[in-house]
Amino acid sequence: MQARYSFFSLARNALGYHENWPEAWRSPEPKASYDVVVVGGGGHGLATAYYLAKEHGITNVAVIERGWLGGGNTGRNTTIVRSNYLWDESAALYEHALKLWEGLSQDLNYNVMFSQRGVMNLAHNQHDLRELQRRIHSNRLNGVDSEFLDARGVKEFCPIIDLRQGGRYPVLGASLQRRGGTARHDAVAWGYARGADARGVDIIQNCPVTGFRISNGRIQGVETGRGYIEAKKVAVVTAGHSSVMAGLAGFRLPVHSLPLQALVSEPVKPVIDCVVMSNAVHAYVSQSDKGELVIGAGVDKYVGYGQRGSLPVTEETLAAICELFPIFRRMRMLRQWGGIVDTCPDASPIISKTPVQGLYFNCGWGTGGFKATPGSGWVFAHTVANDNPHPLAAPFALDRFTSGYLIDEHGAAAVAH
Amino acid sequence: MRCDLAVIGAGPAGLAAATRAAEAGLAVELFDEQPAPGGQIYRAIETVPAPRRALLGPDYAAGAALAAAFRASGAGYRPGALVWNVDSQLNVDFSQDGRSRQCRARAVVVATGAIERPTPLPGWTLPGVTTAGALQILLKAQGLVPAEGVVLAGSGPLLLLLAEQLTRAGAAPRAIVETVPRGRLSAAARHLPAALRAPGYLAKGLAMLRALKRAGVPFHRGAEALAIEGADHAEALSFTAGGRRQRIESRLIALHQGVVPNQQMTRLLRCEHRWSDGQRCFLPVVDDWFESSVEKVFVAGDGAGIGGAKSAALRGRLAALGALRRLGAGEDKRLAGEAAALRGALDKDGAVRPLLEALYAPSAQILAPADDTLICRCEEVTAGALRKAVALGCPGPNQAKSFLRCGMGPCQGRLCGLAVSEVIAAERGEPQQTIDYYRIRPPLKPLPLAELAAFDVGDDAGDEAGDDQDAA
């Protein structure tokens, strides 16, 4: 049994120079058979396993990860958390996630450094302004906190923004979600991993899934780099590689995998204490605890799996950032990287049963999956445990692409898909 | 902006490659971070005053011919240009005069050479501690020598060469503390017959040792457990040799443990690398023409494995021939004939290497640093913290980034990469090849946001106009 992290355990370990902390999760050999195999050890997959164990009492579960925990999009995103989506279905899902975020560190007994510093979305023209106000009204009707700031309000909330209105991207106003903010991405993966492990879930890293065994339209198990593993149910949460996984299971998903990139600057003293996003220029910026500016850019215009992204996108984003924040102009960029985001035609996720019985997919989160991590795991665990969609997940089933009941969130997704 | 062949680095390999390719009629652009050709080995070769040139010796002076041939070759030259990214399409992104631009190349020669192997030992990050290479840069570029007696510590030919050059310049080191263990010489002796094939090297080495002895520079052999003492500044070097602890006071200590290929560019390009037990580092995999696993990317010079300045120039020419062959710019038969001659010379010149590698293999102390020694100096991560992360389940260098943030500072992992891979390999009991190395991200060196924002990718139609503006 794991030791609980507490003030006393901290004090006790301090006396031992922090040399004697137990390992946070085991590295077991895979068993021959599980009730549920979760494919993908990112935040969503680990959260799914955690809630399967905690909320549904299903503990004979394995999380199988090709690389290491949180090495995919979980460790590559810009860690923004918010719930100000336009449509009822999305607002309900993301707001459920945000409420879980608010108690997550306590629930997991692991500090995920959730910081509700406020997320501001800028409007640069009259159209942006109207669109933003429409979204604010919609958010409020759905019980999501959202408020409008005029230009002066923007300046008060984020004093380093340049409001001289002379440039290419004048700031006319913004929406603000005060409950939004950031969290430490690695800690989210680790916290869920530790919580799931404590409840008996096996976490198996460096183990690629290479195929599915299916007979009579029902899943039997998964072929992996460490042999065949039998499974009553298989839950696939592999983000950018979802369409590859679906291909292995013999069906197609309406997702495009695109490189999305981000970059960090050298660390500096605190200079920006909120998150600023601009949908129009595909730029978002916040400051990490270490002091680096974390800057997110748009997606590349072509399909790719390169986990790098192309420079013209960075250039365009930085041109806007430098104009909005002249104070950043002389800061140095330290590192740029990319992640593969799986995007759906309506910029909404897929949380769904599939044509194969006992095989479930959770994917298509596009550029905004991190913020949904707890909610995504919660509703997906329910869907897998009951073989029936959670009410919040039901609108996000695969059949919406045949029924036409799409949930168009291109506006709220902040980055064009 | 476009070119046939982009050469990155103006050391012997880059100069030779650019010269040979330009002579064959290719449009060549040579990018170099330094203001003048020569690289580290022939730094300031075009401007060095005669007395300093004499002091640095004939091996250094030999670089003048390479630089002159390059100047006469008609190859394009961009000094002071930092190449901060090369993508898989062979677009070379570089920063020059505060402006970033892109050059589209048909082939690339990476001639970014070697870096000194980082030497993590107690106190190595204190002010007053530097590397032998850094002191040699000051000597070559500005004719500066330490005012106070410097202590040189470590192993490798450069350590002795620098000692001799400083002695000749009237600034003899206070002491040389060599970490080559006793008995290493006899173990390395089996490579001696092969080494005799490479003319001159052994004689020069022995002459260097004699000169140092004549000058009376104290020489401590077989030193172990090196530590630099001092609170805010280096005050002394202490070590164990001959069974007793010794201490030499100095406020300037230069460390050296040989040189290793600078992998940043080839890793960025995702070239395949293999661990070399002999050189104790990763080497990019190259073929007979020094072409890497990435098509049309050639790696010449010490970047493809340490071979020294003469080998670097030969490899540079060979890589240029490979590029000519790849781009269909030469008759295959003639290229093959020229290449065969170069390979013969390369084989002969490289014959001394196994001896040097065996004799000057890095000391055990820096390969397995003590727990409290800093291993990543940018993020201040100790070897002990890394070992603990491995015990907690961290399986490799890229995961160590999220555990500890090592390798994520301004040096982009250049200084801690090898040591981090070694420590993880040792802790997990797996080969270095399996553990592998950091993934390297652009920019290779930090770049101002405003410069990136104004990054000029250029387009085909605007190319000429852009170049005209350059000229104006």
Side-chain angles (χ1 to χ4, degrees):
Chain A
M1 190 60 204
Q2 284 173 356
R4 248 189 98 69
Y5 294 158
S6 66
F7 175 79
F8 298 106
S9 71
L10 194 63
R12 196 171 55 245
N13 277 285
L15 295 176
Y17 298 96
H18 296 291
E19 302 272 340
N20 305 314
W21 287 103
E23 63 174 8
W25 56 82
R26 301 161 294 131
S27 299
E29 282 302 309
K31 291 192 272 186
S33 147
Y34 289 95
D35 290 340
V36 179
V37 165
V38 177
V39 182
H44 289 229
L46 292 165
T48 304
Y50 174 74
Y51 292 122
L52 272 172
K54 179 165 179 266
E55 301 297 324
H56 305 280
I58 302 174
T59 55
N60 185 23
V61 175
V63 177
I64 299 184
E65 165 57 42
R66 181 180 66 160
W68 64 94
L69 297 186
N73 291 352
T74 301
R76 293 167 185 271
N77 69 88
T78 51
T79 76
I80 297 166
V81 176
R82 63 190 172 88
S83 67
N84 53 352
Y85 279 69
L86 177 65
W87 300 105
D88 298 352
E89 295 85 351
S90 335
L93 180 60
Y94 287 102
E95 180 61 17
H96 181 62
L98 183 52
K99 283 181 179 148
L100 288 171
W101 276 115
E102 285 172 329
L104 195 59
S105 291
Q106 288 76 12
D107 182 36
L108 294 176
N109 180 227
Y110 199 97
N111 188 0
V112 300
M113 302 186 199
F114 181 48
S115 152
Q116 294 183 291
R117 57 184 70 180
V119 175
M120 198 162 63
N121 285 71
L122 303 179
H124 299 295
N125 54 44
Q126 289 298 329
H127 172 78
D128 279 358
L129 214 52
R130 287 193 203 110
E131 185 59 35
L132 222 55
Q133 280 169 334
R134 177 187 179 217
R135 186 136 62 92
I136 290 167
H137 293 313
S138 154
N139 289 159
R140 291 185 157 193
L141 285 170
N142 277 316
V144 174
D145 77 304
S146 192
E147 59 193 271
F148 178 73
L149 299 179
D150 61 10
R152 190 187 299 165
V154 170
K155 186 82 180 166
E156 268 169 27
F157 193 69
C158 181
I160 58 169
I161 207 161
D162 182 13
L163 284 189
R164 283 171 298 173
Q165 312 288 351
R168 202 166 146 202
Y169 306 109
V171 176
L172 305 185
S175 72
L176 170 64
Q177 183 173 28
R178 290 189 193 269
R179 286 164 62 237
T182 60
R184 170 74 203 267
H185 49 9
D186 295 322
V188 175
W190 298 338
Y192 274 122
R194 178 170 169 272
D197 178 85
R199 285 168 173 79
V201 172
D202 285 355
I203 293 166
I204 298 155
Q205 300 183 71
N206 294 314
C207 179
V209 166
T210 52
F212 299 102
R213 266 194 214 174
I214 297 163
S215 69
N216 297 327
R218 194 173 172 86
I219 193 85
Q220 307 295 325
V222 290
E223 304 283 359
T224 77
R226 285 155 78 172
Y228 175 67
I229 300 175
E230 200 178 86
K232 294 198 181 85
K233 294 176 176 178
V234 175
V236 179
V237 203
T238 54
H241 290 81
S242 296
S243 38
V244 178
M245 285 288 138
L248 290 177
F251 58 90
R252 294 189 64 186
L253 290 173
V255 297
H256 266 84
S257 290
L258 304 171
L260 173 71
Q261 51 187 318
L263 48 122
V264 292
S265 73
E266 62 197 337
V268 289
K269 297 234 163 147
V271 61
I272 176 165
D273 63 354
C274 58
V275 180
V276 179
M277 315 182 66
S278 165
N279 303 20
V281 292
H282 300 172
Y284 29 111
V285 59
S286 63
Q287 191 170 16
S288 73
D289 295 337
K290 217 183 100 187
E292 298 153 326
L293 293 180
V294 182
I295 297 174
V299 288
D300 281 357
K301 306 285 186 288
Y302 49 83
V303 170
Y305 290 89
Q307 293 192 325
R308 53 214 296 181
S310 63
L311 273 167
V313 175
T314 311
E315 180 202 349
E316 197 182 319
T317 296
L318 287 179
I321 294 275
C322 285
E323 192 185 310
L324 290 169
F325 301 99
I327 190 174
F328 295 159
R329 291 182 63 83
R330 287 169 65 193
M331 286 189 64
R332 285 170 185 274
M333 164 174 156
L334 216 53
R335 198 164 53 248
Q336 174 256 12
W337 68 93
I340 307 306
V341 297
D342 39 330
T343 59
C344 284
D346 57 355
S348 284
I350 294 168
I351 310 166
S352 186
K353 298 166 75 169
T354 67
V356 178
Q357 264 194 340
L359 178 64
Y360 309 85
F361 265 70
N362 179 352
C363 60
W365 289 94
T367 58
F370 179 73
K371 67 173 86 70
T373 305
S376 162
W378 182 282
V379 300
F380 196 44
H382 179 105
T383 306
V384 173
N386 299 301
D387 190 35
N388 198 25
H390 185 281
L392 290 178
F396 297 94
L398 261 175
D399 62 11
R400 76 175 189 271
F401 298 101
T402 44
S403 71
Y405 197 100
L406 299 179
I407 304 161
D408 180 5
E409 286 290 1
H410 282 286
V415 173
H417 283 189
Chain B
M1 189 200 297
R2 284 171 181 278
C3 68
D4 293 324
L5 182 68
V7 180
I8 303 163
L15 291 174
T19 305
R20 181 65 187 85
E23 282 167 3
L26 289 192
V28 178
E29 283 290 337
L30 185 142
F31 301 88
D32 188 45
E33 205 177 338
Q34 302 302 327
Q40 303 297 352
I41 192 88
Y42 301 134
R43 187 181 278 273
I45 189 71
E46 292 181 325
T47 49
V48 66
R52 202 191 306 158
R53 178 190 294 242
L55 184 149
L56 290 166
D59 280 350
Y60 170 77
L66 264 179
F70 166 70
R71 291 284 191 187
S73 71
Y77 177 44
R78 291 187 174 270
L82 164 71
V83 173
W84 51 266
N85 187 28
V86 183
D87 66 21
S88 53
Q89 309 294 306
L90 305 189
N91 296 320
V92 178
D93 303 322
F94 66 99
S95 167
Q96 193 182 19
D97 303 326
R99 216 181 123 199
S100 273
R101 275 168 293 175
Q102 186 171 76
C103 179
R104 299 174 193 200
R106 292 169 64 208
V108 172
V109 173
V110 178
T112 47
I115 54 173
E116 285 184 277
R117 181 190 293 277
T119 49
L121 46 84
W124 74 302
T125 56
L126 281 172
V129 182
T130 182
T131 69
L135 289 187
Q136 211 194 23
I137 287 175
L138 292 175
L139 177 60
K140 284 176 183 170
Q142 274 92 27
L144 292 177
V145 291
E148 165 180 21
V150 57
V151 176
L152 303 179
S155 82
L158 179 63
L159 203 67
L160 304 177
L161 174 64
L162 176 69
E164 193 216 4
Q165 288 171 337
L166 289 178
T167 306
R168 258 192 276 167
R174 186 160 297 164
I176 299 172
V177 179
E178 205 181 48
T179 56
V180 178
R182 288 188 188 282
R184 181 71 78 64
L185 191 60
S186 48
R190 68 194 170 89
H191 299 293
L192 197 59
L196 289 170
R197 283 179 55 224
Y201 283 109
L202 293 182
K204 271 184 227 160
L206 292 173
M208 234 153 43
L209 286 174
R210 272 199 306 274
L212 288 172
K213 196 166 182 189
R214 247 195 333 270
V217 177
F219 208 110
H220 303 265
R221 289 174 204 273
E224 290 174 337
L226 270 61
I228 290 143
E229 296 174 11
D232 305 319
H233 196 282
E235 284 163 12
L237 176 78
S238 61
F239 57 95
T240 305
R244 69 188 178 91
R245 196 77 188 151
Q246 307 188 37
R247 186 172 184 278
I248 303 172
E249 281 194 15
S250 175
R251 285 174 64 81
L252 183 60
I253 293 155
L255 302 173
H256 183 72
Q257 286 285 346
V259 294
V260 290
N262 180 355
Q263 307 172 63
Q264 300 297 100
M265 193 77 75
T266 46
R267 289 278 179 183
L268 178 72
L269 275 156
R270 305 198 183 176
C271 301
E272 194 186 334
H273 290 69
R274 288 246 160 260
W275 178 260
S276 157
D277 277 327
Q279 300 193 8
R280 199 91 193 194
C281 60
F282 289 100
L283 306 179
V285 176
V286 291
D287 68 7
D288 283 355
W289 302 86
F290 286 87
E291 186 168 7
S292 73
S293 62
V294 177
E295 206 173 294
K296 294 182 186 166
V297 172
F298 297 80
V299 190
D302 277 355
I306 303 307
K310 277 188 195 163
S311 280
L314 295 168
R315 289 173 179 185
R317 282 181 69 108
L318 203 40
L321 298 180
L324 290 173
R325 183 167 151 268
R326 269 282 183 198
L327 299 178
E331 199 188 315
D332 272 8
K333 217 168 142 191
R334 284 183 56 185
L335 293 178
E338 190 181 341
L342 287 170
R343 287 189 197 113
L346 203 50
D347 189 47
K348 202 170 161 198
D349 188 66
V352 72
R353 285 289 138 189
L355 175 72
L356 294 179
E357 283 166 16
L359 184 58
Y360 293 120
S363 79
Q365 189 190 4
I366 64 148
L367 294 177
D371 275 349
D372 54 1
T373 301
L374 279 185
I375 189 164
C376 162
R377 46 195 302 169
C378 297
E379 298 288 331
E380 300 187 340
V381 178
T382 62
L386 183 61
R387 290 190 179 106
K388 264 185 229 165
V390 174
L392 285 173
C394 172
N398 291 297
Q399 298 86 326
K401 286 182 178 179
S402 46
F403 275 76
L404 300 166
R405 309 203 62 80
C406 56
M408 298 182 83
C411 91
Q412 294 287 45
R414 204 162 55 240
L415 290 180
C416 65
L418 272 180
V420 166
S421 292
E422 288 261 18
V423 167
I424 297 177
E427 283 301 292
R428 290 182 64 87
E430 290 176 34
Q432 290 89 341
Q433 179 71 38
T434 314
I435 296 300
D436 212 13
Y437 194 75
Y438 291 134
R439 261 181 222 144
I440 300 302
R441 312 278 187 205
L444 288 177
K445 290 188 178 172
L447 213 59
L449 294 186
E451 186 175 326
L452 267 168
F455 180 42
D456 179 10
V457 180
D459 57 77
D460 293 349
D463 274 352
E464 296 307 316
D467 286 348
D468 286 350
Q469 277 168 11
D470 288 354

